[in-house]
């Protein structure tokens, strides 16, 4: 592989319970039933614009686009307040990225976060300079598992799909990679459901970041 595309949360960094807490605080602020941590974690890997409306609708509520946009802003406010209290790189990630970079590999991030938040987190973790580019959910028309983010990178950088791998901890990452006809790699160091990830039949399945160097 020459081109490595990474998810962020659960792949490069452990954001702890930041997304769970921000979601629960958001629902509480809008006088909605607060979803359990397990329920929120199930949706990790897709943007809030995907899972918040689904959770609201499951409660039999019908919000306008304006109300949903207010919820998204509310979520991001809560998330920003707590993100760096909990977000940290997984053991071995920085070393693996540095090694790949020295080998001349091209590194990218394709995330369900907004680009501003994504780049802020990468900078705070001191790894932003290791990546050639970052694609956030605000840059694509269709969210994960649609392949839009990967296709943007393939076209813009003229990447060979056969030499490109999408790496992530969620089924959505694998589905996105397959839809873009690139190689896929499931990472098991902090996946919500390992069996669910295995059922997607990624080309690679690794349990420690060090193994990224061997693809």
């Amino acid at each position: 592989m020459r081109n490595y595309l990474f998810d962020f949360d659960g792949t490069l960094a452990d954001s702890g319970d930041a997304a769970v807490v921000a979601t629960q605080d958001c629902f509480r602020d809008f006088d909605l039933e607060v979803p359990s941590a397990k329920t929120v974690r199930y949706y990790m890997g897709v943007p809030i614009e995907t899972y918040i409306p689904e959770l609201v609708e499951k409660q039999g509520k019908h919000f306008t686009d304006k109300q949903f946009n207010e919820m998204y802003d509310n979520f991001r406010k809560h998330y920003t307040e707590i993100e760096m209290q909990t977000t940290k790189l997984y053991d071995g990630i920085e070393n693996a990225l540095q090694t790949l970079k020295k080998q001349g590999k091209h590194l990218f991030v394709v995330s369900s976060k907004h680009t501003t938040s994504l780049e802020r987190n990468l900078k705070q973790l001191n790894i932003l300079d290791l990546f050639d580019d970052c694609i956030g959910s605000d840059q694509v028309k269709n969210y994960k598992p649609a392949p839009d983010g990967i296709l943007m990178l393939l076209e813009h950088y003229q990447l060979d799909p056969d030499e490109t791998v999408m790496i992530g901890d969620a089924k959505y990452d694998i589905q996105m990679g397959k839809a873009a006809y690139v190689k896929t790699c499931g990472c098991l160091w902090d996946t919500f459901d390992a069996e669910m990830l295995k059922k997607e039949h990624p080309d690679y399945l690794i349990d420690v970041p060090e193994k990224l160097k061997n693809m």
Side-chain angles (χ1 to χ4, degrees):
M1 294 296 103
R2 295 185 61 192
N3 314 303
Y4 288 67
L5 283 54
F6 293 88
D7 173 48
F8 181 76
D9 290 304
T11 301
L12 293 173
D14 178 2
S15 55
D17 290 328
V20 172
V21 173
T23 301
Q24 291 176 329
D25 285 346
C26 174
F27 273 63
R28 196 173 288 114
D29 288 347
F30 282 79
D31 296 320
L32 293 164
E33 181 182 340
V34 176
S36 68
K38 182 178 180 180
T39 296
V40 178
R41 290 192 186 101
Y42 173 81
Y43 288 97
M44 292 298 93
V46 296
I48 57 174
E49 291 88 351
T50 297
Y51 77 79
I52 283 182
E54 186 167 330
L55 290 176
V56 170
E57 288 164 11
K58 283 184 176 180
Q59 296 187 23
K61 305 291 185 180
H62 301 285
F63 279 17
T64 64
D65 288 344
K66 179 181 178 182
Q67 287 174 303
F68 278 125
N69 286 328
E70 289 172 350
M71 286 192 75
Y72 306 149
D73 289 342
N74 180 281
F75 169 92
R76 292 190 178 101
K77 178 180 71 70
H78 285 299
Y79 191 93
T80 302
E81 290 170 352
I82 61 176
E83 61 182 349
M84 291 317 296
Q85 297 173 22
T86 59
T87 302
K88 60 181 180 180
L89 290 176
Y90 288 107
D91 290 341
I93 280 291
E94 185 170 8
N95 180 262
L97 295 175
Q98 294 279 8
T99 299
L100 291 171
K101 200 68 177 176
K102 289 176 183 176
Q103 292 174 345
K105 310 296 185 182
H106 300 289
L107 310 182
F108 304 89
V109 184
V110 183
S111 173
S112 292
K113 287 177 176 284
H114 266 212
T115 306
T116 300
S117 298
L118 176 61
E119 292 184 347
R120 181 178 66 243
N121 288 171
L122 291 169
K123 184 176 182 179
Q124 290 168 328
L125 293 168
N126 297 313
I127 59 170
L128 177 60
D129 291 344
L130 295 175
F131 295 97
D132 296 58
D133 204 350
C134 302
I135 302 294
S137 61
D138 54 305
Q139 296 187 57
V140 299
K141 181 178 179 181
N142 301 296
Y143 303 132
K144 294 182 184 183
D148 295 33
I150 296 177
L151 295 178
M152 285 177 61
L153 292 173
L154 292 177
E155 180 179 1
H156 184 76
Y157 292 95
Q158 295 297 293
L159 307 179
D160 184 343
D162 290 333
E163 297 178 341
T164 303
V165 59
M166 178 65 212
I167 303 151
D169 67 305
K171 65 178 183 179
Y172 312 106
D173 301 310
I174 307 305
Q175 292 168 352
M176 176 174 62
K178 288 180 179 292
Y181 297 100
V182 300
K183 303 299 183 183
T184 56
C185 175
C187 58
L188 298 173
W189 42 85
D190 193 26
T191 184
F192 169 75
D193 189 332
E195 290 306 313
M196 185 184 299
L197 193 60
K198 292 175 183 177
K199 286 179 181 177
E200 297 298 326
H201 302 292
D203 296 290
Y204 305 93
L205 198 62
I206 59 177
D207 56 357
V208 291
E210 184 179 358
K211 294 182 180 179
L212 288 166
K213 309 175 224 178
N214 302 324
M215 289 192 291

